[in-house]
Amino acid sequence: MIRITTSQLATLGVLPLCMTFTLASPVLSASIQDTPMSGGEGSVEQFDHNAYSLPLKNLPMTGRLDFSVGNSFFRNPWVVAPSSTDARDGLGPLINTNSCQGCHIKDGRGHPPAPGQRPVSLFLRLSMPATNEDSEVVRMTGVVPVPHYGRQLQTAAIPGARPEADMVLSYSDRKVTLSDGTEVSLQVPDYRIEKPAYGPLPEDMLTSPRVAPPMIGLGLLEVVPEEQLLEYADPDDSDGDGISGRPNHVWDARKESTVLGRFGWKAGEPTIEQQSLHAFAGDMGLTSSLAPATDCMPEQDCNEFASGGTPEVSDKVANFVTFYAQSLAVPQRRGMDDPAVQAGARLFNDIGCSSCHRPSLTTADKTPRPEMANQTLWPYSDLLLHDMGEALADGRPEYEADGQEWRTPPLWGVGLAQSINERAGFLHDGRARTLEEAILWHAGEAEDSTLAYRDLSAEQRSQLNEFLNSL
């Protein structure tokens, strides 16, 4: 391992002497993006509130009709059965929302609820601590469900059914003082479950808040070869750089085997199809052939309500929605010629952000969708699990991810997040109102990078922010 000290970097004119961190070889080898085509040839040049909702630019005309049909099922509300809308009925009875867009606002991030509002695009995952007797349940589903409540707190219901409980969110304030004396206020969330409708909640129940992530570029990430991602894994930190990176191994219901997880905040889903149909089941109470049961527990008597058929989401509709989710394009980079943006890109690598937020990946040479093959991507993610420290920990394991690990979220398009949804928050529960707040929450494996950020001058912090906003 090559380790370069601060003073050596300062001698090279890279960093000011006040910075007190060291850099390891993977950081030095991180690349600088040299093209605006963040999502390869399918990148789109649109930067308004619809920037996340466009099909891949290189999507063949034959696929654009399927994209539009998938969009209609993704965007429009599902309704209670029986209904004259046979293709979109069967909602509930226990739900968090009635449409995919209800959480993924304009195909982007969700947000925490405003004071006094019911949460929609932020919900709580639930589970029980696993014992040795639960190993098969964990292998197949990742977690042990909570008696009477299942794996997700559903805070809404169709008429005649009772929501599981209310989720109440409040914040306290934490001040962080940077090296130049600048003070930044962070929101510390506190989650409470009130009015449980199906009996007392177990005292040892585990919870995990999740805000809906953006949908762009998912199909491209799905066809990055597994071998490429595993090259970045270093679960035992054998190179001693303080960065591990672990793959999550999860159950693939289609293949009926354990495979690499790629999607979700803890990489708990292997494919877009499975991610989508589990969301249909958990968020909207809709069955499908891949997920034939919802998150409704036997004690909740969901079978007393009319269904929308068996399954409620037909394979044909499931395929349209999956195709839509696979085909959402990534917006192009902006402002790459700006010297401040260029300086920020170098700082991003210099302070170690790129150790986990890997700038570039390449899709496989051959893929089921030719337009996605052999594409150079700039997602700024390794799709691996990293320890993010106690302050961000949810304490809730999921498959092989422990309670402090989260998957590195892609950063492409992050600069447009609040143009898509002005209330969009960052991190797994949207607690960070700005990208600077998100950086300052990083700890664990990212501790050195965060300390380095705190040591940057105001101009350097602005440059790093300009870079992130250009993505």
Side-chain angles (χ1 to χ4, degrees), residues 79-86 88-91 158 305-309:
V79 297
V80 177
S83 167
S84 58
T85 308
D86 293 341
R88 197 178 282 117
D89 68 345
L91 179 71
I158 65 173
F305 295 84
S307 80

Side-chain angles (χ1 to χ4, degrees), residues 15-32:
L15 296 171
L17 282 168
C18 62
M19 298 177 68
T20 58
F21 57 90
T22 58
L23 303 178
S25 53
V27 179
L28 293 179
S29 63
S31 51
I32 296 286

Side-chain angles (χ1 to χ4, degrees), residues 7 27 63 65 126 179 256 296 302 308 334 355 361 382 394 402:
S7 59
V27 179
L65 179 58
L126 309 176
S179 297
E256 297 187 330
C296 196
C302 291
R334 294 149 295 126
S355 295
L361 297 172
D382 58 8
D394 64 354
D402 69 26

Side-chain angles (χ1 to χ4, degrees), residues 102-292:
C103 290
H104 301 278
I105 299 165
K106 299 291 290 181
D107 303 294
R109 296 165 191 272
H111 55 253
Q117 288 188 346
R118 189 181 71 80
V120 176
S121 52
L122 170 71
F123 62 83
L124 291 178
R125 296 272 193 217
L126 309 176
S127 62
M128 298 298 295
T131 67
N132 291 336
E133 296 177 353
D134 300 318
S135 59
E136 186 63 10
V137 173
V138 172
R139 186 178 75 88
M140 298 284 288
T141 67
V143 298
V144 178
V146 174
H148 311 301
Y149 289 89
R151 300 175 177 84
Q152 180 169 322
L153 188 71
Q154 286 135 341
T155 54
I158 65 173
R162 294 175 296 164
E164 290 186 322
D166 292 339
M167 186 192 86
V168 180
L169 170 61
S170 59
Y171 293 101
S172 57
D173 194 50
R174 176 186 296 175
K175 300 292 185 186
V176 176
T177 303
L178 309 184
S179 297
D180 64 0
T182 301
E183 197 171 71
V184 181
S185 177
L186 303 182
Q187 294 188 127
V188 182
D190 177 59
Y191 295 93
R192 301 188 307 280
I193 298 175
E194 297 181 351
K195 302 177 184 177
Y198 296 92
L201 295 162
E203 292 184 358
D204 56 348
M205 182 179 72
L206 307 175
T207 63
S208 180
R210 308 285 178 91
V211 71
M215 301 290 296
I216 55 174
L218 298 183
L220 296 165
L221 297 177
E222 192 170 40
V223 294
V224 173
E226 179 175 322
E227 297 77 14
Q228 186 180 150
L229 300 175
L230 294 179
E231 285 181 6
Y232 300 138
D234 185 16
D236 299 320
D237 190 21
S238 57
D239 63 4
D241 67 350
I243 307 297
S244 59
R246 295 199 307 132
N248 201 358
H249 294 99
V250 306
W251 184 250
D252 186 320
R254 182 68 68 193
K255 294 181 178 177
E256 297 187 330
S257 62
T258 295
V259 302
L260 181 75
R262 294 173 186 249
F263 303 108
W265 285 106
K266 285 183 183 277
E269 296 288 1
T271 64
I272 297 168
E273 178 193 32
Q274 187 165 310
Q275 170 82 62
S276 301
L277 296 176
H278 279 173
F280 270 112
D283 302 350
M284 293 188 282
L286 293 161
T287 60
S288 61
S289 62
L290 194 69

Side-chain angles (χ1 to χ4, degrees), residues 413-425:
V414 72
L416 295 169
Q418 292 175 332
S419 297
I420 308 300
N421 171 15
E422 63 180 13
R423 293 177 56 196

